[in-house]
Amino acid sequence: MISHLFTALLLAAVVAFSGPASAAPKRVDPVKMFDTDNDGTLDLAEVKKAAAAMFARLDPDRDGTLDARELRGRLNAKELAAADPDHDGTLTLDEYLAVVEQRFNAANPDKDGTLDARELSSPAGRALLRLMK
């Protein structure tokens, strides 16, 4: 009888703890987030608009440039050096958007000028998304 009671309590605990609280958090669909013309894809203009907004958020000192600290998690030191034509250790908005365009092109193997969810989930697409959100 005690083993039946224990089994019933154990089963109740499993049911109680397997509800919505243990469900994985929802992922935000980047196409829906940035697709301003609602065509189900992202074009370069939409991507650059989102990236420019991110640049502004990453520039808390409002000096118009991003340094390695402000770019942490988005560009590594080697990528920053490659994107920094004047070698001042920072990126202007134009330099940042040039990297965005390079990553957009890398994520667009079919060269149709738009990125869909599948392309954004590729390694190149994820690298682009790091510059947008």
Side-chain angles (χ1 to χ4, degrees), residues 68-85:
R69 182 185 51 77
E70 292 165 323
L71 288 165
R72 187 172 300 125
R74 288 175 171 76
L75 293 178
N76 62 37
K78 184 178 177 182
E79 292 167 330
L80 173 57
D84 182 17

Side-chain angles (χ1 to χ4, degrees), residues 15-69:
V15 169
F17 288 108
S18 65
S22 66
K26 276 188 155 178
R27 297 187 110 197
V28 177
D29 180 357
V31 173
K32 288 180 181 175
M33 183 185 299
F34 302 118
D35 182 18
T36 57
D37 63 6
N38 296 312
D39 68 351
T41 64
L42 299 182
D43 61 35
L44 184 57
E46 291 167 325
V47 167
K48 282 187 170 184
K49 180 180 177 183
M54 176 53 67
F55 182 96
R57 287 192 300 276
L58 293 173
D59 186 21
D61 57 6
R62 303 289 181 242
D63 68 351
T65 64
L66 299 178
D67 59 29
R69 182 185 51 77

Side-chain angles (χ1 to χ4, degrees), residues 79-92 94-96 98-99:
E79 292 167 330
L80 173 57
D84 182 17
D86 56 5
H87 307 292
D88 67 351
T90 66
L91 295 185
T92 64
D94 288 339
E95 293 166 342
Y96 187 78
V99 176

